Amino acid sequence: MSSSTDEEPLSVVIDGLNVMGHASNYWNIPSWLGLVNLLSIFKEISKTMNKELLIITVLREHANIERQSLSFDSGKNIIKIEWPEFLDAIRSMSKLIILSDKSDREDDDYITMALTKLNSGYFVSNDLKIYKHVEEEEEESWACLRRIKLTFNPLSRGIILNIPDGELKQVYDKIMNNVDHNRKQKGKTIKNIRINREDIGDKNIGTLL
């Protein structure tokens, strides 16, 4: 469980559009679902961290994140912000920053890296050039120590994180080991179930196996 001391929280900044793009283009799942699933993993990690985990999601308005403009009878145009429902889930699991569609297409990358550097935290992105937005003498090596890369397991339909060494990685590995152990135990239980032919009938055996 996270600590309630005055110790500075450990921050993780998520390059939201990059995660959403990989979900839809490479993982063949809805873009928003990839981001929500990722946040769910960090939410689980935060339960057993020894310090507070600060999760920040950075997004920029684009085709999947739009606001609607409504015109009233008076002829006065009023902008009513109606964000997609999945943003509620993202907001409930992280601090959400959404940049205007008028911002530059790389502004969200800059914000992601600036917050990472400011908080001496981690960032989540598979954009291998995103580190160029920070001014470090050894930019690439600095990014390697701060970057969390993610892949998608098509068999389990789950996200796998590659986290640099440290407490965050230790907690994540422990969680994943427990998940694997429980999955194996469940498999053994199913394998050990004996089917009584007299109870279900021979014609149904093929359906169950």
Side-chain angles (χ1 to χ4, degrees):
M1 184 175 294
S2 60
S3 173
S4 59
T5 65
D6 294 332
E7 186 178 7
E8 288 293 321
L10 177 62
S11 74
V12 177
V13 187
I14 298 172
D15 181 4
L17 289 188
N18 182 265
V19 175
M20 293 177 72
H22 271 72
S24 59
N25 296 330
Y26 299 103
W27 304 341
N28 197 29
I29 62 174
S31 59
W32 61 268
L33 183 58
L35 184 53
V36 170
N37 285 352
L38 174 65
L39 288 170
S40 298
I41 294 174
F42 282 116
K43 184 177 181 180
E44 192 65 28
I45 292 175
S46 68
K47 295 178 182 178
T48 51
M49 285 285 291
N50 290 323
K51 61 170 63 176
E52 180 185 354
L53 192 60
L54 173 62
I55 307 299
I56 304 172
T57 302
V58 180
L59 288 171
R60 173 172 45 81
E61 283 190 74
H62 69 306
N64 293 328
I65 306 175
E66 294 182 336
R67 294 181 293 181
Q68 295 182 355
S69 174
L70 302 180
S71 178
F72 291 87
D73 292 339
S74 62
K76 200 173 186 180
N77 290 326
I78 299 179
I79 300 296
K80 181 179 180 182
I81 299 178
E82 293 185 344
W83 301 110
E85 291 183 3
F86 72 82
L87 288 181
D88 291 334
I90 295 172
R91 189 181 292 110
S92 69
M93 292 186 284
S94 68
K95 291 185 179 297
L96 178 59
I97 298 175
I98 302 180
L99 304 182
S100 165
D101 57 356
K102 295 181 176 59
S103 60
D104 186 83
R105 61 175 298 173
E106 292 191 349
D107 281 354
D108 52 324
D109 294 342
Y110 173 79
I111 295 296
T112 296
M113 298 311 298
L115 289 173
T116 301
K117 184 177 180 181
L118 178 66
N119 297 317
S120 297
Y122 296 95
F123 68 96
V124 181
S125 179
N126 281 358
D127 179 353
L128 300 181
K129 300 295 184 182
I130 193 173
Y131 67 85
K132 293 185 178 294
H133 290 284
V134 294
E135 295 180 0
E136 292 285 338
E137 292 184 3
E138 301 292 339
E139 293 174 339
E140 192 166 2
S141 59
W142 176 87
C144 288
L145 297 174
R146 298 295 176 179
R147 180 197 303 277
I148 298 175
K149 295 181 68 176
L150 58 165
T151 56
F152 185 76
N153 187 328
L155 185 61
S156 64
R157 307 293 291 172
I159 293 174
I160 301 173
L161 302 182
N162 184 356
I163 303 175
D165 291 338
E167 183 185 358
L168 189 65
K169 176 178 174 59
Q170 292 173 1
V171 173
Y172 172 72
D173 288 346
K174 184 177 180 180
I175 291 173
M176 294 306 297
N177 288 336
N178 289 338
V179 169
D180 289 340
H181 175 74
N182 292 337
R183 187 176 295 153
K184 290 178 181 178
Q185 290 299 113
K186 184 177 180 181
K188 289 180 180 179
T189 301
I190 294 175
K191 186 176 180 180
N192 291 333
I193 293 177
R194 294 185 177 180
I195 300 173
N196 189 326
R197 289 177 179 270
E198 294 181 358
D199 292 339
I200 63 177
D202 287 344
K203 65 180 181 179
N204 294 321
I205 293 293
T207 303
L208 293 173
L209 296 180

